[in-house]
Amino acid sequence: MAKAKTQYTCSECGATANKWTGQCSACQQWNTMVETLVETGGNNRYSQPQHLSLAQTAPVLSLADIDAIDVPRFGTGIEEFDRVLGGGLVAGGVVLIGGDPGIGKSTLLLQALANVSHLKKVLYVSGEESGAQIALRAKRLAIDARELKLQAEIQLEKILATLADLKPEVAVIDSIQTLYSDALSSAPGSVAQVRECAAQLTRVAKQTGITIILVGHVTKEGALAGPRVLEHIVDTVLYFEGDSHSSFRLVRAIKNRFGAVNELGVFAMTEKGLKGVSNPSALFLSQHDNQVPGSCVMVTQEGTRPLLVEIQALVDASHQPNARRLSVGLEQNRLAMLLAVLHRHAGIAAFDQDVFINAVGGVKITEPAADLAVLLAINSSMRNKPLPRGFVVFGEVGLAGEIRPAPRGQERLREAAKLGFSIAMIPSSNAPKQPIEGMSILAVDRIDDAFTKLREIQ
C-alpha cells in the first residue's frame, strides 16, 4: 500500500509547503504550519469541483450604471441580535458566530430559529448534540419549535443533499469544526476540512439564496479556530464576549459586509434563554451609595450605540522592585503610555506605585477615548479623593499632553444627560454649540488644564 503523502499548511492563511518551517513564508506568522494529508479529491457522487464559478462571466460595467439597491433584510425576533447583524439577516448571507464553550451560542441561535420558523422554512443542523438533547433544551427554554426542522449530521455531502431537498430559507450549522467531506481524507476540524466545508456551504448560500449561520469554535486565545480564510469568505463575523460564570453576554460584530462593524448586542442569560437588555449602560455602572475614590464614568461608542462604562483604578505603594501595571478591559500598553504622560505633563509620578485598571461589567474598551477617564481615575485613587457626583468624561490623550476629540461627541453627551449626569469634561473640539439642558460642560485642551478645572469643582 502506497504511503500517504503529507504537506504542511498554514492555519492562518492556508499557504502550503513541502516541509515544516517555523515561519510561514506567505503571511510571516510563526508556528502556524500544520501537517496535513495531500488531498487527491474523491469520486463521491456528491462531490463538486474544488473551484466552481457561481455564475457565467459577467460583463464589464461602469459603476455609475449599476443600481445601488439596498439589501432586503428579515428580523430574527431578537432585537439585540438584529442590531449586531446590522438590521437583520440577509438572503444568501453567511454569518459566522464564535465564542467560548457554554457561553450561549447554540441557545441564542435556537431562540432565533424558533422565531423565524413561524414565517420562513428553517433547518438546524447539529454536529455536536443529538436531537434529544436539542429537544430538551427547547423544552427548557419554553420555545415553540413545531415548525423547526432538525438534522443531526456531520457529513457535508448529506447536509448539502438535505439543503437541496428541503430548500430552507435559513440554516444553522452547529458547528463548522465538526463537519467533514468525503472528498478529503483528513480528520474533521483540520485546516483542509474546515476550509473546504465552509467554502462549499458559502457557495450553496450564494447560489440558492439560503441564509446560513455557522457556529465556530475558538482557541484558548479567543480567536476562531481553523484557517484565517474562514473569516474572509463569510459575510459577517460575530464574537460572543463575557464571562461564562456571569449572567451577561456581549455579542460584537467584527466584520459585516451588510452593516456597520463594532456593533454591540447585550444579553442577559435567564432560565428562559438569552434576553436582550434595553438599557445596557446600567450594567456597566456600579451602584455606590456615596462617591468612591478611583472611580470615573466615561462614555464609549460601540458602533452606533453610546454606552456609559465605569472605569475603576486602584493605586497602591509597590513592595517590589518593579511596580505592577495591570489592565482588565483596556489595553495594557496604553496604560504604561498614559502613566508616562501623567508624569511628564501633569507632574504626577507613579513609578513606585502598583496601578490596577478595570472596566466594570466585563466590557472591552478598544477606543482611545477612554484615556482621560483612566488618568482621572488614577489621580482620584492616588489622592484618595472621589470625583464629583454626576461627573462623566471622554477624550483621547496624546503624548504631548493634548486632549484630542472623540467621534460622535454630541451623541455621547445626550446619552449621559439622559441618564442623569450633570457635569461633563470633554475635549474642546467636542464642545456643543448649543447648551445641553441639565448638563455643565468643562471643555479642556490639555491634561494639566483638566486637573486644574477638576480641582476647582471638587
Side-chain angles (χ1 to χ4, degrees):
M1 183 176 179
K3 183 179 179 181
K5 295 183 179 180
T6 61
Q7 64 182 8
Y8 292 88
T9 306
C10 176
S11 60
E12 289 290 323
C13 66
T16 59
N18 293 328
K19 62 180 182 179
W20 184 86
T21 55
Q23 184 182 32
C24 175
S25 60
C27 64
Q28 309 301 318
Q29 294 294 319
W30 288 91
N31 298 322
T32 58
M33 303 303 291
V34 180
E35 185 177 12
T36 59
L37 291 174
V38 176
E39 309 297 348
T40 58
N43 54 4
N44 187 287
R45 66 188 182 97
Y46 295 108
S47 62
Q48 300 181 11
Q50 292 285 334
H51 305 284
L52 182 63
S53 176
L54 297 180
Q56 296 179 354
T57 303
V60 178
L61 301 174
S62 172
L63 185 60
D65 297 334
I66 301 176
D67 294 333
I69 303 174
D70 194 14
V71 181
R73 299 177 181 272
F74 57 92
T76 63
I78 303 176
E79 185 178 351
E80 290 294 306
F81 193 36
D82 290 339
R83 170 190 286 272
V84 180
L85 291 169
L89 294 170
V90 177
V94 182
V95 179
L96 175 64
I97 180 167
D100 294 332
I103 203 169
K105 302 184 296 297
S106 301
T107 300
L108 177 63
L109 294 179
L110 189 61
Q111 291 178 256
L113 273 194
N115 294 335
V116 176
S117 65
H118 299 300
L119 301 174
K120 297 180 180 293
K121 186 181 293 186
V122 300
L123 173 67
Y124 191 103
V125 179
S126 175
E128 299 182 346
E129 297 176 296
S130 65
Q133 290 175 308
I134 297 176
L136 185 62
R137 176 185 295 143
K139 182 178 180 181
R140 186 178 73 248
L141 299 177
I143 61 178
D144 184 7
R146 288 175 293 180
E147 301 296 328
L148 199 156
K149 305 298 182 183
L150 175 68
Q151 182 184 27
E153 183 57 62
I154 62 173
Q155 186 177 353
L156 176 66
E157 286 74 23
K158 292 182 180 179
I159 295 173
L160 296 179
T162 302
L163 293 176
D165 295 339
L166 190 62
K167 294 183 174 59
E169 295 175 81
V170 183
V172 169
I173 311 297
D174 186 7
S175 65
I176 187 64
Q177 275 83 10
T178 61
L179 301 192
Y180 74 95
S181 171
D182 277 346
L184 307 179
S185 57
S186 52
S190 64
V191 172
Q193 287 284 8
V194 172
R195 182 176 57 212
E196 179 62 19
C197 291
Q200 294 275 18
L201 290 168
T202 302
R203 186 178 298 119
V204 169
K206 302 304 179 184
Q207 288 176 337
T208 62
I210 300 174
T211 302
I212 294 182
I213 304 176
L214 306 176
V215 177
H217 294 170
V218 294
T219 62
K220 60 182 180 180
E221 290 83 13
L224 278 164
R228 192 70 173 180
V229 70
L230 182 62
E231 298 185 41
H232 291 303
I233 63 177
V234 301
D235 298 314
T236 305
V237 179
L238 307 180
Y239 273 93
F240 257 93
E241 296 179 1
D243 188 0
S244 60
H245 303 291
S246 172
S247 60
F248 300 113
R249 305 286 189 271
L250 309 177
V251 180
R252 189 186 302 272
I254 303 299
K255 170 188 175 181
N256 195 346
R257 288 175 179 158
F258 304 111
V261 296
N262 288 328
E263 283 287 357
L264 188 71
V266 184
F267 298 88
M269 179 64 80
T270 66
E271 294 180 354
K272 299 299 182 182
L274 288 167
K275 303 294 183 182
V277 177
S278 58
N279 184 19
S281 294
L283 301 180
F284 309 123
L285 296 178
S286 297
Q287 303 298 324
H288 301 296
D289 294 334
N290 298 308
Q291 293 297 100
V292 296
S295 174
C296 182
V297 177
M298 69 155 294
V299 190
T300 183
Q301 191 79 20
E302 293 290 350
T304 58
R305 164 187 279 171
L307 290 178
L308 273 78
V309 180
E310 181 181 355
I311 304 297
Q312 293 183 341
L314 176 62
V315 182
D316 193 18
S318 178
H319 301 285
Q320 301 177 4
N322 296 322
R324 298 185 64 188
R325 307 282 187 259
L326 183 61
S327 176
V328 179
L330 297 109
E331 189 178 352
Q332 186 90 11
N333 293 333
R334 198 161 187 86
L335 173 59
M337 183 194 77
L338 291 175
L339 289 174
V341 173
L342 186 66
H343 182 205
R344 179 66 181 269
H345 298 286
I348 301 175
F351 58 87
D352 58 346
Q353 305 284 320
D354 290 333
V355 181
F356 305 94
I357 300 292
N358 178 41
V360 174
V363 66
K364 295 180 181 178
I365 301 176
T366 57
E367 67 165 351
D371 292 349
L372 185 57
V374 170
L375 291 183
L376 293 181
I378 292 174
N379 179 64
S380 172
S381 179
M382 293 182 71
R383 298 175 58 199
N384 198 29
K385 191 171 184 179
L387 295 173
R389 182 176 293 276
F391 186 75
V392 65
V393 303
F394 63 84
E396 177 185 355
V397 178
L399 289 178
E402 78 279 12
I403 299 179
R404 299 177 177 272
R408 301 191 176 187
Q410 305 298 313
E411 297 179 17
R412 298 176 194 243
L413 290 174
R414 284 195 292 268
E415 178 71 12
K418 185 173 67 176
L419 293 177
F421 287 84
S422 57
I423 306 174
M425 180 175 287
I426 62 174
S428 297
S429 301
N430 286 125
K433 295 181 181 179
Q434 300 294 332
I436 298 178
E437 184 179 357
M439 177 169 283
S440 175
I441 303 296
L442 302 177
V444 293
D445 291 311
R446 297 188 56 80
I447 187 63
D448 51 350
D449 185 23
F451 285 118
T452 300
K453 290 190 176 182
L454 181 62
R455 284 192 290 269
E456 293 175 356
I457 62 175
Q458 278 185 322

